[in-house]
Amino acid sequence: MQAAFKRFPVACLVMGWVVFVVSLIIFLVHIASADGAKYLYHKEGNENDSSSSGPVIELLAPSSKQDGPIKPNFLFEPSSDHSPPPARVVEFYAPWCPHCQHYAPKYIKLAKAVTAKHPEIEFHAVSCTAHNKLCNDQNVNGYPTLKLYREGSYEALEFKVKDAKVNNVLFRLGFEVSEKSESHNNHEDQSDKKQIARVVPFRMHDVHDAWNDAALSFEFALKTGIFMTNGPLSKEESSTFRSWLELLTKTLPIQMSKTHDIVTMLLENFEEACQSQSNLS
C-alpha cells in the first residue's frame, strides 16, 4: 500500500505532462488549419515570386482534383521516357512545426550555397500538410526530414538536418569536394564539437524540474505557435486559442501555479491577447 502511494504522484506527473503535450500539439495543428497556411516556401497569390525562397522548389497541390495520388518526378520514376533526374535534395516538413519554421531560412541558405557551386542540383520542399498521403508513402516520421537523391537515382539517402552543410551534401550526392573545402568543412565540424563540449553535463531531473520544463514549453508555445502572421488572430483562430486555454485550466497540474496565472491572465484579457504577439507576454 505504501509503495502504491509513492508511485501515485509519479503517475499524476506523467499523466499531467501527457495531457499538456497532447493539448499543445492539437492546438498547433488547429491553428495551422485555421490559418490555411499549407506552405513555408510558397506564398499564396505570389506564384511567380521566388525571391524569398530562392532555388527551393515548393511542391504545390493541384488546383483541381485529379485521379490517383500525386507522384512528382523528383520522387517517382515516370512511366514514359524522360531524361534522368538531376541530383536533388528534398525536405519534408509541416508548416505548423516550430522546428521547420526555424529551419526554413537555413534550408534556403543551404540551397543557395550548393547551387552556387553546382547549379544542376535541385532543392525541393514538400509540405506534409498539403501532401499528407505522399509523406506517409515516403515514410516521413518526423519534421523536418531531409532526403538526398543522386543523379538518375530514385533511392533516397537519409540525411540528418544537423549534418546539412554544403560539403556534406555535395559528398553524399557524389560530387567531388576539394581538399580546401574538406579543410573548411572539418573546421566547421570542430566548431560544432566545441559548442557541444560547452553543454552542461546531464544530471537527473526531479519533479520540480519537470514542472519547470512544462512551464517553459508552454511559454515557448506562446512565442512561436500562436501568431503565424503579423495581423490579429482570425475568428476561428481565436476560438481555437480560447478552447486550448480553457482546456489547460482544467488539466494543468496545480503545481504549475505560474502557468495557471498566465492562462488566467490571458483569458481575462482575451480580446487584447488576440491582437498581437506582444500582448501575450
Side-chain angles (χ1 to χ4, degrees), residues 42-55:
H42 169 78
K43 294 182 180 180
E44 298 292 342
N46 293 313
E47 284 72 10
N48 299 321
D49 181 16
S50 60
S51 58
S52 59
S53 60

Side-chain angles (χ1 to χ4, degrees), residues 166-186:
V166 175
N167 297 321
N168 290 342
V169 170
L170 292 175
F171 179 77
R172 290 296 301 277
L173 289 175
F175 291 83
E176 290 187 4
V177 179
S178 65
E179 293 183 3
K180 182 178 180 180
S181 296
E182 288 180 353
S183 175
H184 178 70
N185 203 49
N186 291 333

Side-chain angles (χ1 to χ4, degrees), residues 222-223 227 230 266 272-281:
L222 288 182
K223 293 178 180 178
F227 285 87
N230 293 327
L266 289 173
E272 183 180 353
C274 291
Q275 296 304 308
S276 70
Q277 176 69 51
S278 60
N279 291 343
L280 295 181
S281 57

Side-chain angles (χ1 to χ4, degrees), residues 87-208:
R88 56 215 181 275
V89 181
V90 182
E91 179 198 6
F92 298 88
Y93 71 90
W96 49 264
C97 167
H99 296 294
C100 299
Q101 295 168 13
H102 294 160
Y103 181 65
K106 297 179 181 178
Y107 187 58
I108 294 173
K109 183 179 179 180
L110 175 68
K112 290 180 178 179
V114 171
T115 55
K117 293 186 175 183
H118 291 276
E120 68 273 24
I121 298 177
E122 294 182 351
F123 279 77
H124 296 270
V126 178
S127 166
C128 292
T129 296
H131 305 284
N132 183 260
K133 186 179 185 307
L134 177 61
C135 291
N136 289 335
D137 293 341
Q138 296 295 311
N139 298 316
V140 176
N141 299 315
Y143 308 121
T145 291
L146 291 183
K147 294 189 178 186
L148 277 60
Y149 300 82
R150 293 192 172 188
E151 181 180 0
S153 173
Y154 287 93
E155 182 178 351
L157 303 173
E158 295 286 346
F159 200 68
K160 295 181 180 180
V161 172
K162 68 181 182 67
D163 295 329
K165 299 183 179 69
V166 175
N167 297 321
N168 290 342
V169 170
L170 292 175
F171 179 77
R172 290 296 301 277
L173 289 175
F175 291 83
E176 290 187 4
V177 179
S178 65
E179 293 183 3
K180 182 178 180 180
S181 296
E182 288 180 353
S183 175
H184 178 70
N185 203 49
N186 291 333
H187 177 72
E188 290 182 346
D189 292 340
Q190 291 299 325
S191 297
D192 290 342
K193 290 179 181 179
K194 290 179 180 179
Q195 291 177 1
I196 294 173
R198 289 196 294 268
V199 174
V200 178
F202 175 79
R203 66 179 180 84
M204 295 299 294
H205 277 38
D206 58 19
V207 174
H208 299 290

